[in-house]
Amino acid sequence: MVSPNNLQHNPSPLSTTPAPSTLPSARPMRVSNKKRRRSQARQDRFLARKEDERLKRKFRRFLSGTKKFKKRLKPTHEELRDGVKTIDPNLADYTIPANIDVSEAQVRRGEQVEQREMSSLLELLAHGGSGFMSEEKRAGWIRIMFENFNSIGIGIQDWKIGRLNSLIESLRIDILAGAETNLDWRMLDDSQQLLDLLVPGKAKRGLAVNNVTVLGRLCDVISPTDGMGRDPTGLGRYSWIRVGNGDVSTVIASAYIPNKPSNSKGETVWDQNKYYFEARGDFRDPDIILIEDLLLVIRRWRSAGLEVILALDANQHIYDGILAQSLSEEQYGLSCLFREATGADAPNSHFRGTDPITTIYGSGGLTVGDAMAYPHWYGVGDHRVFVVEVSAASLFGGKYPSIGAPASRTLNCKISRVRRNYNNVLKSLCQRHKMHGKLMRIKALDEDVSAAQYQLMHNKWDNELGDFMASAEDQCSKFKSCHIEFSPTVGQWLKRRSIFKWILRWHDGKVPDTRNLQRAAARNQIEDPLGSSREDIEARLVACIGEIFKLKKSAPELRRKHLLDCLRKAHARGDHETVSEILRIRRKEMGRKRQNNVNNVTKSARGRAIMAIQVDENGELVQYDTHEDIVRVINSRIGNRYRLGLRSPAAVGQISEDIGQFGNGPAVQQILDGTYVYPPGTNPELIALLSEAAHIRREMDQMTTSERDATVEEFIDHWHSAREQTSSSDSGRHFGHYIAASDDRELTTLHVESLNIAGRRGIPLARWKHSLTVLLEKIHGNNLVDKLRAICLLEADFNWWLKLIYARRMMSDVRRNNQIPVEQFATTGRTAIDGVMAKQLGFFDRANTLHVTAALDNVDAEQCYDAVHHGVTSVGLQAHHVPLNYILVYMQAMAEMQFHLRTGFGIRDADGFGGTVGNFLGGLGQGSSGASSVWQIVGALMLGAYKRRGYGMEMRMAWSSFLFVVAVDDCDLLHMCVDPLMSDEEFFARKQRAMYFWAKLLMADGGNLRDIKCSCYLLMYKFVKGEAKLRRMREMPEYEFVIPVFGDEDNQSNKSKLTRLLKL
């Protein structure tokens, strides 16, 4: 055979001779030999070329026929499918139905799975199990497990909880039901409750008595209106959970029917139930009463159109018993799901019994999958464990609520390569568009340039920089998929999967140019990518995905070998930077795995994004579970919270105009100098606060203050140690941008100069007036709106600037000049233990030693950071030498702040609310880095005014000679009767005046006391035979202590709780 290579590179030198002439003979002509030779050569080449072309065409036809022949020999996808389906046409049981579409690769993989699963299943069946349950739970199916625990054994048989958790994990249980926990859960600590012990770290909701617990993401579909309930008698005979709230909804109930004991001492569940009902005039047997109650509630559920699942220990035959016969009636329509799934009756339940008495019933609208009754002693009790699969579509509609996740971050500053790429791209963009020169022109603007014109220029520059930062992030790296650990082997399979999907897109007509596709296929040894049918590519894609799934188990070991190989090569070539980077990757990955294992065992489930809230409306809990309703309710409540500061008496009248909205009024300097004449009728507590500001200003005038502008070194120092995962607002300028920029001095200078320009002008950037509000569950699973913590996420650079100016610069000056009252324990260098020790040693021990009447008022400020009047607070800050322009940046940004709410449904800008010019908000912002420091200044004003009025208690101790009044937002006011001639009534009156004055000081700045959390502790002594003893409550005089609050002018309806402090 002639090779095409030979035809192409070495053409055969075929010798040909001219054909004999057919012309008549003529006389010979004289012909030039040279010309004849040339003509003959041309003829030879022409004939040889014709022969070559003929052979080439012949070879091409042969090669094409060979390919077609081979292709006909190769079975197609349809032929393989038909061959698999017709294994033996004479045996119908082994013939695959025609409507099933399966590939050869899927068949091979299915055989392996079946062999593995059947080996373990046959072992279970050999030990007495019944039914079938696949090891791998199919998508779209919910597994329900029921067992009679025969005591859960907390504190006695702790192995039971461990075994139960192991079963939940290995069997992929979604709903756990059980009976006979044999515990009074009210007597156990919070840490020993069943929900805290079951699968730690996993979301769960349920009831402990006759346990029904929903696990995992199924918690999201529990009905918001009537999601859980239990037996109204309080005997714990049954409990239930409802999942789904749309067209398809199901109630899962768990019950235990007591068995009449043959010989009892009156301590069984039967006896307990009998005593209860006989005391109420019902002398029927408890099992008859429970069956009647169950039928009643099931009939109510079924009439409401709900599906019902009833898992119970019936203590009677589950097919022939009284309950079973009743449940089979048309109005109930419940049958044994085990029989529905397997076609056989359930085996005996108790290990000594002969009848099936335990099962899971279900209504006719449920679709049942596999079911399994495991051998005795497989669970934690002496009954069998029953597991049944029900389709999610028939249980609750099959649709889980989709949680809107925030956008992912491409920039990862822990990787030096990514940081360098980001900085290089951003610097290139800034240099190309001359960002530094533009900023310097804004900085050089004259003071007579209007604020509006300055804002327009600075905001335009800031928006342009934000676009460049986002572009640099997009180009610095790519997303990393962590569903399988990477190694070269895994990478090759992932590439093949990507190429197969690429080919499918070509079949859909979405790839106009196939050259890159063909090159990628050739590099990965995929032959004839465009010649294969769509079915073949789909089959190969399925097989490829199956191989990736198999590799998932060995991927960690392949990853370890890959990193060690890279480390060895880096050591060999002396690349120390690569060595350190590989070691960092290994430490990070190993630490993450170890910490994940620890967290899964030790940490409780985290509260996820809010998908529903509950509101107490006139004593009735109302649930809101749509995006619009949640945003409307939360915005109204948060909006009211940020307007609490406007209740201050400084917000009305002549004093309001003199102070100004942000403490920039014409009379502020006079107030600080102490020369201001207050208008008639000015609130006396407000006068006390402002007068205290004047006292502080006179003391601070003699002291030094630090520089105010931010520096490049401070920026670098902070962001080098910042936590990159910290969330910020929704502008996209997250912490990673500034952490990366701190590696480059040019970019750092750009950020710092922009901050300083805004600070000097006293005008915040427009971006700083937008924040993101996130709702967090204080208690996991508790979505009461009053129990949610609302965190205000400010812009990252703005929040750092607030921290620098207020938390560092201002507080450093105050501490250096000894202006922090010693009574404040919520400050740097002091802890809550210091306050407790001061209170214990200086107050309680002294009262117990001197045996004098004393009182402690625990008063709690309501919404302290948000209930602040900007004008009064600004005067206090100016008294501590904070420049007015810096105060204006903070206060103006908060007054015009636009709040956007992030819930599980995501963020919508149209749903925000906020203040505007003429309709300002108040407050400091929960989540602001400057809020706590500014609140300390407000507390210092209040403490100074409180002590200047003569209230408080002097305590001089061997280890300290200061005066103590323990106070911050949660404050303890200490009172002690040191005058032996003062009567109890006089002491009580003085204590009342002091507490009243403190509350009024708080109200002068817009705050308020939370009366429900305020309390009063009294220590009064009596002498019995010369020995001092604390008086009991009934021996104390009746006296009412009043707490003033806004909206209660008579101050008579809000009274503190009165109790005594036990002597320890």
Side-chain angles (χ1 to χ4, degrees):
M1 181 181 293
V2 180
S3 171
N5 295 328
N6 293 333
L7 290 176
Q8 182 178 359
H9 301 292
N10 299 308
S12 302
L14 299 177
S15 60
T16 59
T17 57
S21 175
T22 57
L23 297 174
S25 60
R27 65 182 181 88
M29 297 179 63
R30 190 173 180 179
V31 181
S32 173
N33 291 335
K34 184 176 181 181
K35 187 174 183 180
R36 184 179 179 181
R37 286 195 300 272
R38 290 177 180 174
S39 176
Q40 184 65 41
R42 285 196 299 270
Q43 183 181 12
D44 292 345
R45 287 196 297 271
F46 174 74
L47 294 176
R49 185 167 62 251
K50 289 178 62 177
E51 184 67 19
D52 290 346
E53 292 294 333
R54 186 182 64 81
L55 290 175
K56 287 182 180 179
R57 284 195 299 271
K58 183 178 180 179
F59 176 77
R60 291 191 185 106
R61 286 196 298 270
F62 176 79
L63 189 61
S64 176
T66 304
K67 288 183 178 180
K68 291 181 180 179
F69 179 73
K70 289 181 178 180
K71 191 173 183 180
R72 284 197 297 269
L73 289 179
K74 182 180 179 181
T76 65
H77 177 76
E78 291 78 7
E79 290 171 342
L80 285 174
R81 181 182 61 194
D82 295 339
V84 172
K85 291 180 180 177
T86 56
I87 298 174
D88 189 346
N90 298 321
L91 299 176
D93 291 341
Y94 295 95
T95 303
I96 299 176
N99 59 349
I100 295 181
D101 189 7
V102 63
S103 67
E104 182 183 6
Q106 289 173 313
V107 172
R108 288 199 304 269
R109 190 164 60 256
E111 289 176 353
Q112 297 172 358
V113 173
E114 289 298 318
Q115 291 174 359
R116 184 180 69 251
E117 292 189 355
M118 288 305 295
S119 62
S120 59
L121 178 63
L122 291 174
E123 183 180 355
L124 289 174
L125 295 177
H127 288 81
S130 178
F132 172 79
M133 185 60 59
S134 171
E135 283 188 8
E136 296 181 4
K137 187 175 68 174
R138 297 169 292 172
W141 292 88
I142 302 299
R143 288 189 177 179
I144 305 172
M145 169 180 164
F146 177 78
E147 182 185 10
N148 185 320
F149 300 133
N150 191 25
S151 173
I152 204 68
I154 295 178
I156 303 173
Q157 295 173 303
D158 291 334
W159 65 269
K160 287 193 171 185
I161 289 294
R163 176 57 181 166
L164 202 56
N165 288 336
S166 175
L167 289 177
I168 292 171
E169 294 291 342
S170 61
L171 300 178
R172 276 66 166 180
I173 300 301
D174 300 294
I175 300 175
L176 173 66
E180 282 200 280
T181 57
N182 293 353
L183 280 173
D184 186 351
W185 297 97
R186 298 170 300 178
M187 305 301 295
L188 296 177
D189 298 335
D190 292 340
S191 60
Q192 293 182 309
Q193 296 298 314
L194 187 60
L195 290 182
D196 295 316
L197 299 174
L198 287 177
V199 282
K202 193 172 185 178
K204 48 195 172 291
R205 290 183 64 187
L207 301 167
V209 180
N210 271 322
N211 168 65
V212 182
T213 303
V214 171
L215 305 166
R217 65 183 304 196
L218 201 60
C219 296
D220 294 334
V221 298
I222 294 179
S223 174
T225 53
D226 51 352
M228 290 184 284
R230 55 167 60 108
D231 173 20
T233 64
L235 295 173
R237 299 177 299 165
Y238 64 87
S239 56
W240 53 270
I241 286 181
R242 178 183 169 187
V243 295
N245 198 36
D247 297 334
V248 181
S249 185
T250 304
V251 174
I252 301 100
S254 174
Y256 173 73
I257 299 178
N259 187 30
K260 185 175 182 178
S262 58
N263 184 16
S264 172
K265 298 181 181 180
E267 299 176 352
T268 64
V269 177
W270 176 281
D271 297 320
Q272 179 193 37
N273 283 248
K274 192 173 183 63
Y275 298 152
Y276 177 86
F277 289 110
E278 287 181 352
R280 287 155 179 78
D282 192 341
F283 293 91
R284 293 177 296 167
D285 287 343
D287 58 344
I288 301 299
I289 298 174
L290 177 54
I291 290 175
E292 182 179 307
D293 292 346
L294 281 176
L295 293 176
L296 177 64
V297 70
I298 293 173
R299 187 163 59 246
R300 187 170 69 245
W301 290 332
R302 295 293 288 152
S303 62
L306 304 177
E307 302 295 334
V308 175
I309 293 176
L310 176 62
L312 83 166
D313 181 355
N315 276 316
Q316 56 181 263
H317 203 286
I318 60 174
Y319 299 118
D320 302 331
I322 299 173
L323 178 63
Q325 295 176 7
S326 300
L327 292 177
S328 63
E329 297 176 4
E330 184 178 356
Q331 58 180 332
Y332 305 107
L334 268 67
S335 60
C336 175
L337 295 183
F338 182 85
R339 176 189 277 179
E340 294 287 335
T342 63
D345 290 346
N348 65 316
S349 303
H350 194 269
F351 78 102
R352 285 199 301 260
T354 57
D355 294 335
I357 61 174
T358 300
T359 191
I360 301 176
Y361 291 105
S363 53
L366 298 170
T367 303
V368 186
D370 299 334
M372 183 77 181
Y374 288 87
H376 291 111
W377 312 112
Y378 186 77
V380 299
D382 49 11
H383 289 63
R384 293 180 186 270
V385 174
F386 281 81
V387 178
V388 174
E389 281 187 342
V390 179
S391 72
S394 64
L395 195 70
F396 59 89
K399 293 183 178 179
Y400 296 93
S402 58
I403 298 179
S408 301
R409 300 178 181 179
T410 307
L411 178 58
N412 183 1
C413 293
K414 292 182 180 179
I415 303 175
S416 58
R417 170 182 53 82
V418 175
R419 290 199 311 271
R420 286 196 301 269
N421 292 344
Y422 171 84
N423 288 337
N424 291 337
V425 173
L426 184 55
K427 278 200 302 183
S428 174
L429 290 171
C430 290
Q431 291 170 0
R432 186 187 313 164
H433 294 272
K434 302 178 181 179
M435 295 298 290
H436 187 267
K438 294 177 182 178
L439 186 63
M440 291 301 101
R441 285 194 292 272
I442 296 173
K443 180 180 179 181
L445 288 176
D446 296 333
E447 293 295 334
D448 55 355
V449 174
S450 66
Q453 186 176 358
Y454 156 76
Q455 282 182 295
L456 182 64
M457 296 179 64
H458 199 178
N459 288 327
K460 182 179 179 181
W461 181 91
D462 185 67
N463 293 335
E464 189 177 4
L465 178 64
D467 293 339
F468 297 155
M469 293 166 68
S471 177
E473 181 178 13
D474 291 339
Q475 300 178 51
C476 69
S477 183
K478 297 180 180 180
F479 283 108
K480 174 189 174 186
S481 175
C482 296
H483 73 279
I484 183 171
E485 297 191 54
F486 179 81
S487 62
T489 303
V490 173
Q492 288 297 324
W493 282 106
L494 292 177
K495 289 178 183 177
R496 292 181 71 86
R497 182 188 65 177
S498 176
I499 294 172
F500 287 138
K501 291 182 179 180
W502 196 353
I503 298 173
L504 290 178
R505 290 198 302 273
W506 174 78
H507 279 284
D508 294 334
K510 298 179 180 179
V511 182
D513 189 348
T514 61
R515 288 177 294 180
N516 288 335
L517 171 58
Q518 291 176 319
R519 278 193 290 268
R523 284 195 297 267
N524 287 272
Q525 289 79 45
I526 298 177
E527 299 179 357
D528 196 15
L530 305 183
S532 303
S533 65
R534 183 184 182 89
E535 290 77 11
D536 290 338
I537 297 299
E538 288 177 346
R540 296 179 71 177
L541 176 61
V542 171
C544 181
I545 294 174
E547 292 297 329
I548 294 173
F549 181 79
K550 292 177 185 178
L551 278 174
K552 198 165 186 179
K553 292 183 178 179
S554 58
E557 179 63 19
L558 294 174
R559 172 70 172 173
R560 187 184 68 84
K561 291 180 179 179
H562 169 59
L563 289 177
L564 289 177
D565 184 56
C566 293
L567 186 64
R568 178 181 56 79
K569 292 178 180 178
H571 273 301
R573 63 176 181 266
D575 190 345
H576 301 294
E577 183 178 354
T578 303
V579 168
S580 62
E581 184 67 14
I582 295 174
L583 292 176
R584 183 196 66 81
I585 293 173
R586 292 195 65 198
R587 285 194 300 268
K588 177 184 176 183
E589 292 180 354
M590 290 188 294
R592 182 170 55 205
K593 292 178 184 178
R594 182 171 58 250
Q595 191 60 41
N596 286 342
N597 293 333
V598 173
N599 293 346
N600 290 337
V601 176
T602 60
K603 286 193 174 182
S604 58
R606 293 183 178 181
R608 53 151 176 78
I610 298 298
M611 300 290 291
I613 58 172
Q614 290 183 331
V615 180
D616 188 354
E617 296 182 358
N618 299 324
E620 181 181 358
L621 286 180
V622 180
Q623 177 138 335
Y624 299 96
D625 56 1
T626 64
H627 193 188
E628 292 74 13
D629 289 341
I630 293 175
V631 170
R632 175 176 53 81
V633 173
I634 295 298
N635 283 353
S636 64
R637 290 186 172 248
I638 296 180
N640 293 334
R641 177 188 302 176
Y642 281 103
R643 291 182 173 87
L644 294 177
L646 304 179
R647 302 173 301 184
S648 169
V652 294
Q654 182 63 40
I655 189 70
S656 174
E657 298 178 4
D658 292 345
I659 293 178
Q661 177 66 37
F662 307 117
N664 54 349
V668 171
Q669 189 58 47
Q670 298 178 32
I671 292 174
L672 295 176
D673 295 338
T675 60
Y676 179 69
V677 178
Y678 292 92
T682 303
N683 182 275
E685 288 79 16
L686 177 60
I687 295 176
L689 277 183
L690 298 178
S691 300
E692 184 61 29
H695 287 294
I696 294 175
R697 180 56 179 260
R698 283 194 292 270
E699 295 177 2
M700 291 288 292
D701 282 340
Q702 310 300 324
M703 302 171 184
T704 59
T705 57
S706 57
E707 199 61 38
R708 295 302 177 183
D709 276 353
T711 63
V712 172
E713 288 71 21
E714 289 171 324
F715 186 95
I716 295 174
D717 181 64
H718 172 80
W719 290 109
H720 265 177
S721 59
R723 183 174 177 269
E724 188 178 2
Q725 291 77 15
T726 304
S727 298
S728 57
S729 72
D730 62 339
S731 69
R733 304 191 197 185
H734 52 78
F735 274 42
H737 288 284
Y738 303 102
I739 295 174
S742 64
D743 275 359
D744 189 279
R745 198 170 186 86
E746 182 179 338
L747 295 177
T748 299
T749 303
L750 208 62
H751 288 297
V752 172
E753 281 296 334
S754 177
L755 291 168
N756 287 334
I757 290 173
R760 295 190 197 104
R761 285 277 180 173
I763 301 176
L765 290 168
R767 174 171 54 89
W768 294 352
K769 298 179 183 179
H770 291 264
S771 67
L772 187 64
T773 300
V774 181
L775 300 178
L776 305 178
E777 294 179 351
K778 295 180 182 179
I779 304 172
H780 178 64
N782 188 342
N783 61 349
L784 278 170
V785 69
D786 294 331
K787 297 297 182 181
L788 299 176
R789 178 177 285 111
I791 300 298
C792 177
L793 301 179
L794 304 179
E795 286 290 331
D797 57 339
F798 180 46
N799 215 12
W800 170 74
W801 184 82
L802 294 177
K803 183 174 185 178
L804 175 69
I805 298 300
Y806 294 99
R808 292 187 178 177
R809 298 272 180 80
M810 181 187 72
M811 294 308 298
S812 176
D813 292 342
V814 171
R815 279 192 295 270
R816 184 172 60 251
N817 297 319
N818 296 323
Q819 290 300 307
I820 298 180
V822 294
E823 296 83 3
Q824 284 188 338
F825 289 91
T827 186
T828 302
R830 309 181 80 175
T831 65
I833 299 299
D834 298 329
V836 172
M837 290 297 297
K839 186 166 55 176
Q840 179 65 44
L841 298 177
F843 178 71
F844 293 139
D845 289 357
R846 185 176 179 183
N848 288 331
T849 301
L850 300 178
H851 304 138
V852 295
T853 302
L856 183 146
D857 294 330
N858 182 266
V859 289
D860 178 59
E862 180 182 26
Q863 308 293 350
C864 59
Y865 288 175
D866 301 329
V868 168
H869 185 268
H870 287 162
V872 177
T873 305
S874 175
V875 173
L877 293 173
Q878 292 179 60
H880 288 81
H881 280 216
V882 180
L884 177 60
N885 52 343
Y886 287 170
I887 299 174
L888 290 176
V889 171
Y890 188 10
M891 300 303 175
Q892 187 176 344
M894 295 307 303
E896 301 178 24
M897 184 67 68
Q898 301 299 310
F899 296 89
H900 305 280
L901 181 64
R902 185 170 72 194
T903 66
F905 299 98
I907 309 170
R908 289 195 307 201
D909 292 338
D911 296 329
F913 76 97
T916 58
V917 177
N919 186 22
F920 293 116
L921 300 178
L924 304 173
Q926 186 85 14
S928 165
S929 295
S932 59
S933 300
V934 174
W935 175 253
Q936 285 193 46
I937 299 301
V938 174
L941 294 179
M942 294 173 59
L943 277 170
Y946 183 82
K947 292 191 295 183
R948 205 170 296 279
R949 185 63 65 93
Y951 296 124
M953 171 190 165
E954 292 188 6
M955 292 187 294
R956 296 184 179 272
M957 312 174 73
W959 51 274
S960 177
S961 60
F962 294 125
L963 305 177
F964 284 96
V965 178
V966 184
V968 262
D969 64 322
D970 289 332
C971 161
D972 291 335
L973 303 178
L974 309 180
H975 315 275
M976 185 173 291
C977 183
V978 294
D979 187 355
L981 301 179
M982 182 180 292
S983 64
D984 290 343
E985 288 73 15
E986 293 174 337
F987 173 75
F988 291 156
R990 176 179 173 79
K991 188 195 82 68
Q992 172 65 79
R993 291 194 300 271
M995 182 171 58
Y996 191 91
F997 183 67
W998 178 264
K1000 283 292 188 177
L1001 287 174
L1002 185 62
M1003 295 167 70
D1005 195 31
N1008 199 23
L1009 289 180
R1010 191 190 301 269
D1011 59 316
I1012 195 173
K1013 296 181 71 173
C1014 295
S1015 59
C1016 173
Y1017 298 89
L1018 293 179
L1019 288 85
M1020 302 182 69
Y1021 296 87
K1022 64 179 181 179
F1023 289 87
V1024 179
K1025 297 181 180 180
E1027 182 180 356
K1029 293 184 178 181
L1030 279 171
R1031 294 186 187 180
R1032 298 182 179 181
M1033 180 71 74
R1034 61 175 178 269
E1035 297 174 337
M1036 294 183 181
E1038 294 184 3
Y1039 198 92
E1040 292 182 346
F1041 298 107
V1042 179
I1043 297 175
V1045 295
F1046 279 110
D1048 181 30
E1049 301 301 333
D1050 296 332
N1051 301 317
Q1052 294 298 322
S1053 61
N1054 296 279
K1055 303 178 178 61
S1056 65
K1057 293 174 286 185
L1058 181 65
T1059 182
R1060 67 184 178 87
L1061 187 69
L1062 296 178
K1063 184 177 181 180
L1064 300 179

